Amino acid sequence: MRHIVLIGFMGSGKTKTGKRLAEELGLAFVDVDRKITSEMKMSVTDIFNRFGEVFFRALETRAIKELMEEERRAVISVGGGLPMQEQNHKYLKELGTIVYLKGSAETLQKRLEGDHARPLLAGSKMDEKIRKMLQTREPVYEKLADVTVLTGSQPMKKLIREISVKCEMFENQYYMKSNSTL
Ligand code: S3P
């Protein structure tokens, strides 16, 4: 089954957009961070503080592997760091159409201001951290993406419409290609 997978930096709106998109398309919605925190019964920050980032990354890989068994067609939102683990790429690709929610550093900084739920941005100089991380992450997100949309520059309704149309076009091409190789 081919799902829709949302990737992007923290603050790009993956969860909010994912929920709305799922509603609009009549699909289930799965948030990988949420799946992890409800299974661990701990917040992301507590998992980082108690067990460290490496452990959290292992939980992400386990969660995404488990999603290969998801029987409902779904919109799946993954944490900003999950695509940075190369071993996760094959799972992301197998899950379905990958949509990159791309936000400018300014948009992301504005949205993340005052946020305390992201351990990687904790402490001082958040803007600098965002800019640096975005530099290393953006090329990975772009390489993985089947579809890219800009966030922060248009109303939610328009954004959802753009994602739906672009995903449908990508899926059609995908099926045409896979039929021609049969
Ligand atoms: C992280 C992003 C977070 C969460 C964790 C690490 C990252 O998810 O998984 O704090 O490394 O970018 P969101 O992208 O949903 O904020």
Side-chain angles (χ1 to χ4, degrees):
M1 177 168 340
R2 291 190 54 81
H3 305 287
I4 295 177
V5 185
L6 300 186
I7 63 169
F9 201 81
M10 294 171 266
S12 57
K14 298 177 297 279
T15 304
K16 198 172 161 200
T17 312
K19 274 188 189 155
R20 289 286 297 274
L21 182 67
E23 256 172 47
E24 192 68 26
L25 299 178
L27 304 181
F29 175 68
V30 181
D31 181 89
V32 171
D33 273 349
R34 195 63 205 281
K35 179 169 157 59
I36 293 172
T37 54
S38 65
E39 282 170 11
M40 291 293 290
K41 297 188 176 62
M42 285 169 93
S43 69
V44 171
T45 303
D46 288 343
I47 300 173
F48 265 70
N49 289 344
R50 259 186 83 183
F51 304 112
E53 181 175 352
V54 173
F55 182 77
F56 178 77
R57 299 301 173 199
L59 294 178
E60 284 188 315
T61 299
R62 189 180 75 175
I64 196 127
K65 269 193 205 166
E66 281 172 7
L67 283 175
M68 309 298 289
E69 311 296 323
E70 176 63 60
E71 283 173 356
R72 304 160 301 169
R73 186 160 185 247
V75 175
I76 299 170
S77 145
V78 310
L82 187 145
M84 301 312 294
Q85 308 295 309
E86 189 138 14
Q87 79 262 24
N88 296 336
H89 289 190
K90 60 177 182 292
Y91 303 119
L92 289 170
K93 282 184 182 300
E94 271 180 46
L95 278 172
T97 304
I98 304 178
V99 179
Y100 171 30
L101 292 191
K102 181 172 176 161
S104 66
E106 294 69 36
T107 301
L108 300 171
Q109 278 161 7
K110 225 185 277 163
R111 288 195 186 156
L112 290 164
E113 228 169 50
D115 179 276
H116 297 292
R118 269 96 170 186
L120 292 180
L121 300 178
S124 59
K125 299 195 177 152
M126 187 194 263
D127 287 6
E128 207 176 301
K129 285 179 189 155
I130 293 174
R131 255 198 310 276
K132 273 202 180 136
M133 286 173 80
L134 199 55
Q135 254 172 28
T136 47
R137 289 178 171 203
E138 198 148 52
V140 178
Y141 297 150
E142 285 185 341
K143 197 164 154 235
L144 269 173
D146 299 312
V147 162
T148 299
V149 292
L150 294 180
T151 72
S153 53
Q154 55 181 334
M156 181 61 94
K157 226 176 162 172
K158 268 184 112 178
L159 179 65
I160 298 294
R161 179 95 196 110
E162 186 183 344
I163 299 175
S164 317
V165 171
K166 285 188 169 172
C167 281
E168 202 181 321
M169 278 167 59
F170 178 82
E171 284 289 305
N172 288 342
Q173 279 170 1
Y174 177 89
Y175 285 120
M176 265 160 58
K177 264 192 213 145
S178 46
N179 282 338
S180 69
T181 53
L182 283 180

